[in-house]
Amino acid sequence: MTMDLSDEGESLAPEWTALDNNLAGILPGHRDASYVAERFVRAGWRSTSSSWHGYEVTTRWCELNLDPTDDHGVLLNGVIAPDHLTTLAALLDRFELAYSLELYDETGTLTREIRSDTGQPR
């Protein structure tokens, strides 16, 4: 039984569904988006397959696409309620994943960046 897919968990709140992508990031050193999606599922997020190797993970305040890269990282991008950026960073810390997250405003201007190098490559 796969643990990286789940229709349990909350859907993205309606106030965020019309928002353009405002979050971009990378999880360097993590080759497998399935591994990352499984962590989100275990934290109660909804997860669906978005491509052969990609996933979409969702909770009420965030919806992310997780896509592996050719250089051993997982790209993430999507929509997040801006006041939950630190919540997402804390979750990635709990998963012990290194990350770089960028938050953009409605004009596409970078407004905040959070980085961590504490994660273990997988």
Side-chain angles (χ1 to χ4, degrees), residues 12 14-22 78-82 104-106:
L12 187 63
E15 62 265 29
W16 306 118
T17 57
L19 190 65
D20 288 333
N21 283 3
N22 64 349
V79 175
I80 189 168
Y104 295 87
D105 67 15
E106 61 279 347

Side-chain angles (χ1 to χ4, degrees), residues 80-114:
I80 189 168
D83 59 338
H84 279 283
L85 184 64
T86 55
T87 307
L88 177 60
L91 191 59
L92 294 172
D93 285 336
R94 192 173 97 203
F95 298 162
E96 297 183 344
L97 297 173
Y99 57 86
S100 175
L101 302 174
E102 297 175 346
L103 180 67
Y104 295 87
D105 67 15
E106 61 279 347
T107 67
T109 302
L110 179 65
T111 60
R112 188 150 180 226
E113 187 173 11
I114 301 177

Side-chain angles (χ1 to χ4, degrees), residues 37-115:
E38 182 180 337
R39 298 302 170 272
F40 280 98
V41 167
R42 289 183 180 191
W45 289 47
R46 178 180 299 239
S47 175
T48 60
S49 177
S50 62
S51 68
W52 284 103
H53 301 287
Y55 294 83
E56 182 178 89
V57 294
T58 306
T59 194
R60 183 157 186 75
W61 48 267
C62 185
E63 185 170 83
L64 297 173
N65 291 305
L66 307 172
D67 293 299
T69 67
D70 291 337
D71 60 350
H72 307 294
V74 173
L75 290 177
L76 54 93
N77 67 77
V79 175
I80 189 168
D83 59 338
H84 279 283
L85 184 64
T86 55
T87 307
L88 177 60
L91 191 59
L92 294 172
D93 285 336
R94 192 173 97 203
F95 298 162
E96 297 183 344
L97 297 173
Y99 57 86
S100 175
L101 302 174
E102 297 175 346
L103 180 67
Y104 295 87
D105 67 15
E106 61 279 347
T107 67
T109 302
L110 179 65
T111 60
R112 188 150 180 226
E113 187 173 11
I114 301 177
R115 292 181 184 273

